[in-house]
Amino acid sequence: GVHAAALRGYLAELRDALALARALRRTLVLPRWTCYVDKLWAGSDNIIGMGFMYPGSQDAPFLPFACPMDHVLSPAAWAKAEVDYRDGSFLSSPRLSPELTAAA
């Protein structure tokens, strides 16, 4: 489906962005991605029947939505790999200095 196709594209983006960050010796800013299914942290007997949403959320549809990192990647694995990165929301943070915003 659309979610699997999107994930393939996201992984290709990530591969290219990581290679570029390493080549330039820069910190990787993760791309912003869209999720088309919600990630369940606990099992569900009928996630497909629930429209790929967390049980109880069907009354207020929210799909698609901006994915947090841990919906696609393992933060623990990234920490273990010692990859310097920032979340995709980093560049839109109001706490970011104007100099860094302009440099990005």
Side-chain angles (χ1 to χ4, degrees):
V2 68
H3 186 69
L7 282 176
R8 282 190 298 275
Y10 299 158
L11 292 177
E13 279 180 359
L14 180 60
R15 177 200 62 222
D16 295 348
L18 185 55
L20 188 58
R22 283 187 171 171
L24 296 174
R25 296 188 173 136
R26 303 294 299 260
T27 298
L28 172 67
V29 177
L30 294 172
R32 299 296 302 259
W33 295 326
T34 301
C35 279
Y36 296 92
V37 300
D38 198 7
K39 180 170 183 169
L40 298 179
W41 299 104
S44 173
D45 293 334
N46 191 14
I47 187 66
I48 295 171
M50 294 179 172
F52 296 99
M53 292 184 276
Y54 204 84
S57 65
Q58 306 87 304
D59 295 336
F62 59 90
L63 296 173
F65 62 95
C67 289
M69 175 197 188
D70 62 355
H71 273 44
V72 180
L73 305 170
S74 166
W78 279 74
K80 186 176 179 182
E82 299 180 357
V83 175
D84 290 328
Y85 71 91
R86 298 288 179 267
D87 184 73
S89 63
F90 174 75
L91 294 175
S92 59
S93 172
R95 296 182 295 167
L96 191 63
S97 73
E99 294 81 20
L100 283 177
T101 303

